[in-house]
Amino acid sequence: MTSLRRTGSGPDPVPPRSGSMNTPAMRRILASSFIGSLIEYYDFLLYAMAAAIVFKDLFFTDAGPGVAAFASFGTLAAGYAARPVGGAIFGHFGDRLGRKNVLVVSMVTMGVATCLIGLLPTTAQIGIAAPVLLVVLRVVQGLAVGGEWGGAMLVGLEHAPDGRRGFAASFANMGAPAGATLATLVFSACTLLPEDEFLSWGWRVPFLLSVALVSVGLVIRLKVAETPLFQELRDAAETRKIPLVEVLAKYPRNLALGVLAGTSVYTLAGIVTVWAVSHAVDAGADKTGVLNAKAAAAAVMIPIVIVSARLSDRVGRRPVMLAGMVMAALAAFPILWLADTGTVWGFAGAVVLGQALQGVIFGPFGAFTAELFPTRMRYTGASLTYQSASTLGAGFTPAIAAALVVGGGLPLLGGIWVLAFVVAGAALLLTREGRTRDLATMK
């Protein structure tokens, strides 16, 4: 068996894909996957809170309250729309050049964009250029996070023993709620400032803190080795084609079904963690209390992701995800009713229940997407699946939810929610179970 002991100051040597998960090299790999994803999603989800609470007052000052909220959520959607493009771009280089180096580029790109948002003048200072630049930086954020998740997930999954792939892939998934927790707590602390100070400079602090987080993440990420499955592919004599072309030509069904199944996670996220925040605050709930409840709910989601991912290694990805989808559909109207109470405790009940159910689906989702594609196109395929689902499910959901509530009230929104989960469940049932697939020989 290959030794796992490090020598010198370079990256950890590549561990075998069978054996223990409890080795120094494997712990560093999983830590890199988790922390890198945490930092990227801290940056990306920080914007969602600012869009729900502050951007409508700073960058869309000439619009009425409802129009300003819609416009602010529209800039949020621009980042989600860019995620599949980022997945295709970073996935291409990740499949051709390797997972590790692409992850370093995605992290630096995200950190720079987030810091610049924190330095951006408002509409009152530079006019229409302010919202335009805000959209541009949000798109850059979307491109960066589009390349992050697939690589972070594959670094864990492609190093893991075959029977632990779901658990290893879930470390990238855990980074999202952990990043949301951190971002929410930091943003919530800033809302304790006097209102004029918060609007003038306090909201900028969480964005500028990204510089320190990215620095820590790079130190960890640079010490991780390339995955063994990619090294085997790189050493093979096979001529590789353009990954995106292969995904679209050879695996369009897997891509389409994976995207439809994944929209369930993000429909839930877009409604519960973005739209409901704005709705609860507008209905009278204290914004600091709402943000603290959101942070607590994201923290609750982390152990549920772990449990559901480990369960999927035993019984399969599809049964666990389907159970989460059914429960989330049944909970649609209770969650919306709680969010509409205009109280912190009502919102807390809605967001904790929503994020708990999201965790059930999200835990196996990393391994589910990876097992749809072979190694030579896995970064591209998994990233496109995940990021396209995020765009369809979460990118436009807050703006759509706001419009549906204005046009037809909560019953209409609840009906659309249930319909989305029916479609996602049907797509999931049409996919092949991947838990026992041999990824090394998959063609």
Side-chain angles (χ1 to χ4, degrees):
M1 183 177 291
T2 305
S3 172
L4 296 177
R5 183 173 300 168
R6 294 181 69 231
T7 58
S9 59
D12 291 319
V14 179
R17 289 196 310 276
S18 60
S20 175
M21 293 274 285
N22 190 24
T23 65
M26 197 68 206
R27 286 196 295 270
R28 185 185 294 274
I29 288 162
L30 296 180
S32 167
S33 181
F34 171 73
I35 293 172
S37 182
L38 180 156
I39 293 167
E40 291 270 357
Y41 280 94
Y42 168 90
D43 289 350
F44 192 77
L45 297 174
L46 185 63
Y47 189 102
M49 281 175 292
I53 292 175
V54 72
F55 284 168
K56 56 190 175 185
D57 298 321
L58 297 177
F59 294 96
F60 303 99
T61 52
D62 294 332
V67 176
F70 186 84
S72 184
F73 286 143
T75 67
L76 177 71
Y80 279 97
R83 286 173 65 161
V85 179
I89 294 171
F90 284 95
H92 172 85
F93 291 103
D95 282 328
R96 298 301 296 265
L97 304 177
R99 299 8 179 162
K100 175 185 170 179
N101 292 335
V102 170
L103 284 172
V104 171
V105 174
S106 72
M107 180 174 285
V108 172
T109 302
M110 176 63 88
V112 170
T114 303
C115 184
L116 289 176
I117 290 173
L119 297 172
L120 189 63
T122 65
T123 299
Q125 295 170 311
I126 61 171
I128 190 64
V132 171
L133 290 172
L134 183 66
V135 171
V136 170
L137 292 172
R138 180 57 177 174
V139 168
V140 174
Q141 277 194 321
L143 294 173
V145 82
E148 164 66 27
W149 178 86
M153 180 271 294
L154 290 180
V155 163
L157 179 137
E158 292 186 343
H159 276 100
D162 287 339
R164 306 294 298 280
R165 294 197 305 243
F167 178 58
S170 73
F171 278 77
N173 288 350
M174 283 186 277
T181 302
L182 180 60
T184 306
L185 289 174
V186 173
F187 202 81
S188 176
C190 291
T191 65
L192 296 175
L193 290 166
E195 186 73 8
D196 58 340
E197 293 185 29
F198 173 68
L199 291 176
S200 64
W201 61 268
W203 69 270
R204 301 178 183 275
V205 173
F207 288 89
L208 298 177
L209 284 177
S210 175
V211 175
L213 292 175
V214 169
S215 299
V216 172
L218 286 175
V219 170
I220 297 171
R221 183 156 280 177
L222 287 169
K223 292 183 177 293
V224 173
E226 187 55 78
T227 73
L229 282 174
F230 182 80
Q231 288 197 13
E232 291 171 10
L233 176 68
R234 184 170 55 193
D235 294 340
E238 177 185 0
T239 300
R240 284 178 282 157
K241 300 177 182 178
I242 298 173
L244 177 60
V245 172
E246 281 207 276
V247 168
L248 296 178
K250 296 184 178 181
Y251 288 87
R253 183 175 185 273
N254 285 15
L255 176 63
L257 292 176
V259 169
L260 289 175
T263 56
S264 59
V265 175
Y266 285 105
T267 296
L268 192 53
I271 293 175
V272 173
T273 67
V274 182
W275 170 82
V277 171
S278 179
H279 185 75
V281 170
D282 289 345
D286 174 68
K287 62 174 173 287
T288 302
V290 164
L291 290 174
N292 288 338
K294 182 177 181 295
V300 167
M301 182 177 166
I302 296 172
I304 295 175
V305 166
I306 297 173
V307 171
S308 64
R310 297 194 71 163
L311 183 61
S312 79
D313 280 331
R314 293 178 175 271
V315 303
R317 321 301 179 206
R318 295 197 310 168
V320 177
M321 292 174 64
L322 185 61
M325 291 177 186
V326 171
M327 290 188 289
L330 294 174
F333 287 97
I335 288 174
L336 291 177
W337 176 79
L338 287 168
D340 194 44
T341 60
T343 66
V344 170
W345 289 110
F347 172 79
V351 74
V352 168
L353 178 57
Q355 294 243 260
L357 294 174
Q358 186 184 349
V360 176
I361 308 169
F362 201 40
F365 189 53
F368 169 78
T369 60
E371 290 161 353
L372 294 173
F373 306 98
T375 303
R376 68 183 184 278
M377 66 182 82
R378 186 169 297 127
Y379 198 143
T380 300
S383 294
L384 273 179
T385 301
Y386 181 94
Q387 305 303 347
S388 297
S390 75
T391 299
L392 293 175
F396 300 101
T397 298
I400 292 172
L404 289 173
V405 170
V406 170
L410 292 181
L412 179 58
L413 176 57
I416 296 297
W417 176 335
V418 172
L419 178 61
F421 274 83
V422 170
V423 172
L428 179 68
L429 291 174
L430 291 173
T431 62
R432 175 182 170 184
E433 176 59 55
R435 178 176 68 92
T436 58
R437 276 188 148 175
D438 184 348
L439 299 188
T441 59
M442 186 179 176
K443 297 295 185 183

